[in-house]
Amino acid sequence: MGETRIQTMEEFASASGISRPTVSKYFNDPASVRSTTRERIERALEQFDFRPNIFAVNQNRKLTKNIGIIVPYLADPFFAEMARMIERRCIDAGYWPILFSSHGQRQLEINALETLRSLKPAGALIAPLGRASDLEAVRKFTEDVPTVTFDSNQEIGEVFVGSDNFQSIGLIVDYLCRTGEPPCFFEMPPVNPNAMKRRSAYIKAVELLGQTPEIIHVGEHGWEFEQVGLNEGKRLISERKLPSNTVLCSNDRIAIGLLAAAYEMGLRVGRGSGCAMRVAGHDDHPWSRFTCPALTTVSQDYSAIVDTSVEKLFEIMHSGSKQDSREETLFEGKLILRSSA
């Protein structure tokens, strides 16, 4: 008969002859125990081939090291990049990030909140779905768990961190008007407050320049932005229904679809001789530099949004008290000039 496999820290402490509190202290922070004790524990770990269930240990703490992250659509490289950066910041700070995607669906967002609550998180970073969210369910979660929201600005959580859409849209509208024909605005039904603010910002910016806003409203609610940009772009081009040869898209994913539509319809996109139209977007999506032609856009400051979101969350967690009022931090966008406009 072989030796019985050690399964718990109590069994490991007993077998190695080291007190349970010391073993626990080691697994929480190896540097916190004396070097001679650390060597004994590490020899015993190798001898007994024991690896503790750190997740279970974490759950037994009054304040866990779990940090919840919820994004609306992880297949979107924008949210994938934001989630990657947040995970890295949390790991570097000694926390255990737990990532959920709502997949664009209200019930899945609710399920993610309920599952996350059961894991007793120390805090959470949430980009709500927006119009599809059950805001009461999200608000109830934020009342129990320190929460910072990012990207989608809803009246929930103690802190919101995101982009200044009025500044960024104004910036690119001004550039497009100065360098050519005033842009029309190509959008899908808004899925979150960003889309609605960008439409309002476009109208304001165009009117300030003495021009007439032209909004192209296409598609249905959803997250298949590229497909809508392609299908509706081909239709609008073939029916000659674009009110301007300069098109500002509500986000880069729609613009990527529109670029594909122009290519399939035999139109050259860009500035200069031989170009039939200009296309611009918003966000500086991770793929926007690799389109053909490369997409002119306005960048969101990914690093600043992520760093500030995580820092604000840690401040709330460590203070142990609620803030008197909700705080908003908005970062300005930067014009990214590429070949498409």
Side-chain angles (χ1 to χ4, degrees):
M1 295 281 296
E3 294 183 359
T4 301
R5 183 175 178 81
I6 291 176
Q7 297 182 333
T8 68
M9 279 210 279
E10 286 76 9
E11 293 173 357
F12 175 73
S14 176
S16 61
I18 302 168
S19 72
R20 174 65 171 78
T22 300
V23 170
S24 180
K25 189 177 180 183
Y26 167 84
F27 285 120
N28 186 52
D29 179 9
S32 66
V33 301
R34 289 182 299 181
S35 59
T36 54
T37 304
R38 185 164 63 247
E39 290 170 3
R40 284 182 61 199
I41 293 173
E42 290 169 355
R43 283 197 302 270
L45 285 172
E46 186 174 347
Q47 176 185 349
F48 298 114
D49 190 26
F50 173 66
R51 294 295 179 269
N53 185 339
I54 296 298
F55 186 76
V57 173
N58 195 13
Q59 289 302 98
N60 288 328
R61 294 179 176 143
K62 186 174 292 186
L63 179 63
T64 74
K65 287 287 189 176
N66 300 333
I67 297 290
I69 306 166
I70 302 178
V71 296
Y73 197 71
L74 197 53
D76 185 330
F78 170 79
F79 289 112
E81 178 64 7
M82 295 289 278
R84 182 194 68 80
M85 295 173 71
I86 290 172
E87 283 187 315
R88 188 71 261 176
R89 302 297 190 278
C90 291
I91 290 169
D92 290 345
Y95 287 87
W96 183 278
I98 303 171
L99 176 63
F100 296 88
S101 171
S102 303
H103 299 282
Q105 298 179 31
R106 172 182 296 211
Q107 189 57 52
L108 291 181
E109 183 174 71
I110 293 171
N111 293 348
L113 292 166
E114 292 175 349
T115 301
L116 187 54
R117 187 197 303 274
S118 73
L119 299 176
K120 300 193 299 186
L125 293 143
I126 299 176
L129 283 173
R131 293 183 64 172
S133 291
D134 181 337
L135 291 183
E136 193 54 41
V138 183
R139 187 173 290 111
K140 190 173 186 303
F141 175 88
T142 64
E143 290 173 355
D144 299 331
V145 178
T147 302
V148 168
T149 56
F150 65 97
D151 183 66
S152 180
N153 192 357
Q154 306 281 0
E155 289 294 325
I156 49 179
E158 295 184 68
V159 175
F160 170 77
V161 183
S163 295
D164 185 342
N165 287 295
F166 279 86
Q167 178 271 338
S168 57
I169 289 291
L171 188 65
I172 198 162
V173 166
D174 177 72
Y175 164 74
L176 293 172
C177 287
R178 283 189 292 105
T179 56
E181 190 177 1
C184 56
F185 189 71
F186 190 27
E187 67 165 7
M188 289 173 58
V191 297
N192 63 28
N194 282 329
M196 291 181 281
K197 287 180 179 177
R198 290 174 191 177
R199 178 203 293 164
S200 298
Y202 162 78
I203 294 170
K204 178 180 178 181
V206 169
E207 289 180 341
L208 282 174
L209 293 171
Q211 304 294 335
T212 302
E214 298 279 2
I215 297 176
I216 306 168
H217 188 76
V218 299
E220 299 178 356
H221 291 286
W223 292 84
E224 302 300 323
F225 300 120
E226 295 91 352
Q227 193 65 53
V228 171
L230 172 63
N231 294 344
E232 293 295 324
K234 288 168 64 177
R235 180 184 64 80
L236 290 164
I237 291 170
S238 65
E239 296 175 2
R240 299 181 180 275
K241 288 187 175 179
L242 285 172
S244 170
N245 289 327
T246 297
V247 184
L248 172 59
C249 297
S250 180
N251 62 57
D252 286 352
R253 291 183 60 194
I254 297 175
I256 289 170
L258 182 58
L259 288 176
Y263 175 80
E264 290 192 18
M265 299 299 291
L267 297 183
R268 184 177 176 185
V269 176
R271 290 183 62 191
S273 177
C275 293
M277 62 188 299
R278 296 192 298 164
V279 175
H282 190 290
D283 291 337
D284 198 20
H285 184 287
W287 293 348
S288 62
R289 71 187 64 188
F290 302 114
T291 58
C292 187
L295 183 63
T296 290
T297 184
V298 185
S299 68
Q300 294 201 51
D301 194 336
Y302 290 63
S303 294
I305 292 171
V306 167
D307 289 344
T308 302
S309 297
V310 174
E311 288 169 7
K312 292 290 185 182
L313 178 62
F314 289 167
E315 288 176 11
I316 297 169
M317 286 161 42
H318 296 149
S319 71
S321 59
K322 292 281 187 180
Q323 297 190 163
D324 294 333
S325 59
R326 186 170 179 271
E327 178 183 342
E328 291 186 8
T329 301
L330 302 179
F331 290 97
E332 293 189 346
K334 180 181 178 182
L335 188 61
I336 306 295
L337 298 180
R338 300 193 180 106
S339 303
S340 72

